Amino acid sequence: MGIESNELASGAAACYLCGTTGARVLANRCRSNTPLRTVICPKCGLVWSDPLPHNPRDFYEDDYRVSYKGTYSPKPKHILRAGNVALSRHEKIRRLLANKMRVLDVGSGGGEFAYLLKTLGHDVQGIEPNRGYADYSIREYGLNVRVGFVQDVALPEKNLGLITIWHVLEHTENPFNVLLKLHELLQPEGMLVIEVPNIEATCQSPRSTFHEAHLFNFNLATLRKMTEKAGFAFSELSLSPDGGNITIMVQKKSAAHPEPLDLEIPGNAQKIIGIVRNHTPLHHYLTAPPYARLLRRIRQSLAEKRSAGSFSRGKALLDRLYSTLGHPSRGGQ
Ligand SMILES: [Zn+2]
């Protein structure tokens, strides 16, 4: 894996979380086995790709060219999969939902999660950089989605009650600035839900730990600290059963910067270095999770093919899937 934790990463940027210089090299290759220098801040444990392996915008531009040939439409089995993911996301955040909330879903993709919330009667907006996905979600589900990157999009409406950002923050070129922007869009005491991959995860193959599209890698401590720095108070967290994803819920504090925050996270860098170092291919394939994971994926794919087969429209499919949610906000409210 080429982990040289003591090697100083020459020319690396100052830490995006605590501002310290002197990042160390954590890895030199990514999952496609191409060179990618991943560094870690010795003071707080934030992990990032340095230098940035590509212009983050290009990644989506390419995606855009591939998927947007005239009119883009996802396959029913993909809508079903994304619909099931949306249901599990709803399960995670349902405690935060009040009646008819103003919600923003950042990186709304094909619109499945935003449509779920719309179905429940909420006032939902989306932002999505991929024009093909965004247009599909507008056309198929009648969603209010803006095409673009959250960093750039000017939203006229502020005072949002809830913002969700699922698997987007790790792709942005400055996640702290994104958090500041989201803070601005929320009403006082509004909630923000963030989900990112967990750098401490060992459920994936060690070769997949570093991904060229993931410019930043968090563990719970660094994610939490970054939200605190941006003016949020920690509320709760959940880890996916396999430990692969961190979901945290934070609340916008009424006062912007009440007291100076200590940005050092003692022991965090050493902890992460230890986990990455011990996650070797031999260790990984001697344990059961990879096989269980593979089996689960095969079963899921077969089930999706069976149940998605009879639907030609995404809306009909999701309406059926979401019908079990009930419609508490409907009917004269
Ligand atoms: Zn740092």
Side-chain angles (χ1 to χ4, degrees):
M1 280 294 289
I3 297 161
E4 295 135 60
S5 58
N6 296 320
E7 185 196 329
L8 195 68
S10 62
C15 176
Y16 294 76
L17 173 53
C18 75
T20 303
T21 53
R24 309 288 156 149
V25 176
L26 182 62
N28 279 309
R29 302 212 156 257
C30 72
R31 71 192 207 166
S32 53
N33 206 27
T34 49
L36 176 81
R37 189 174 75 164
T38 302
V39 304
I40 184 165
C41 171
K43 195 170 166 190
C44 72
L46 185 70
V47 175
W48 71 93
S49 300
D50 195 298
L52 293 181
H54 53 83
N55 181 337
R57 312 297 174 103
D58 290 347
F59 188 75
Y60 297 94
E61 286 289 309
D62 287 347
D63 218 21
Y64 160 90
R65 275 184 221 111
V66 172
S67 63
Y68 195 59
K69 293 171 183 157
T71 303
Y72 167 79
S73 286
K75 286 183 180 155
K77 70 170 186 174
H78 293 139
I79 298 171
L80 181 64
R81 181 175 301 177
N84 278 315
V85 169
L87 283 172
S88 69
R89 289 176 177 176
H90 171 254
E91 201 49 47
K92 287 177 194 170
I93 63 141
R94 58 186 303 168
R95 290 182 306 285
L96 306 178
L97 292 171
N99 198 26
K100 290 197 174 184
M101 274 184 116
R102 290 155 58 86
V103 187
L104 171 67
D105 186 32
V106 177
S108 48
E112 298 84 3
F113 181 69
Y115 182 57
L116 184 156
L117 293 179
K118 186 184 173 191
T119 304
L120 291 175
H122 300 288
D123 176 7
V124 192
Q125 303 175 59
I127 300 177
E128 170 55 44
N130 183 303
R131 181 174 295 277
Y133 291 175
D135 282 354
Y136 177 79
S137 68
I138 295 166
R139 198 171 64 236
E140 184 68 18
Y141 309 118
L143 287 169
N144 174 11
V145 172
R146 269 160 230 262
V147 181
F149 293 90
V150 61
Q151 304 91 304
D152 309 333
V153 170
L155 287 169
E157 304 186 59
K158 295 188 177 160
N159 285 315
L160 297 164
L162 172 69
I163 298 179
T164 55
I165 176 164
W166 309 99
H167 293 269
V168 170
L169 207 58
E170 68 273 20
H171 298 277
T172 63
E173 67 266 36
N174 192 325
F176 177 66
N177 286 346
V178 171
L179 292 176
L180 285 181
K181 170 146 192 186
L182 301 183
H183 189 272
E184 205 179 295
L185 294 173
L186 282 167
Q187 68 187 28
E189 300 185 356
M191 296 297 298
L192 170 65
V193 178
I194 308 167
E195 189 169 278
V196 293
N198 183 4
I199 183 69
E200 294 184 12
T202 52
C203 54
Q204 80 295 353
S205 149
R207 279 197 304 253
S208 302
T209 300
F210 300 105
H211 189 308
E212 56 269 64
H214 295 169
L215 306 176
F216 286 83
N217 297 275
F218 298 92
N219 71 348
L220 174 63
T222 48
L223 181 61
R224 183 176 167 166
K225 189 67 90 177
M226 195 178 273
T227 60
E228 285 170 1
K229 189 185 172 190
F232 292 94
F234 177 76
S235 173
E236 55 183 294
L237 90 110
S238 71
L239 273 184
S240 60
D242 64 4
N245 294 317
I246 308 168
T247 315
I248 71 166
M249 294 157 204
V250 294
Q251 187 167 37
K252 177 175 177 168
K253 286 197 240 173
S254 0
H257 300 290
E259 70 264 358
L261 189 66
D262 183 4
L263 295 170
E264 182 173 0
I265 309 176
N268 199 39
Q270 279 313 313
K271 180 187 178 199
I272 291 170
I273 291 167
I275 290 169
V276 171
R277 218 175 227 167
N278 288 328
H279 188 41
T280 62
L282 181 65
H283 190 261
H284 181 67
Y285 290 108
L286 285 176
T287 57
Y291 306 106
R293 191 171 148 109
L294 184 65
L295 259 183
R296 212 162 48 235
R297 281 194 179 163
I298 293 169
R299 280 206 201 105
Q300 184 191 14
S301 178
L302 288 173
E304 281 165 358
K305 266 196 190 132
R306 271 199 305 275
S307 40
S310 53
F311 293 95
S312 60
R313 291 282 306 269
K315 188 174 179 303
L317 200 162
L318 290 188
D319 283 342
R320 172 77 170 278
L321 190 65
Y322 298 161
S323 64
T324 52
L325 287 168
H327 303 290
S329 309
R330 282 188 181 171
Q333 285 180 53

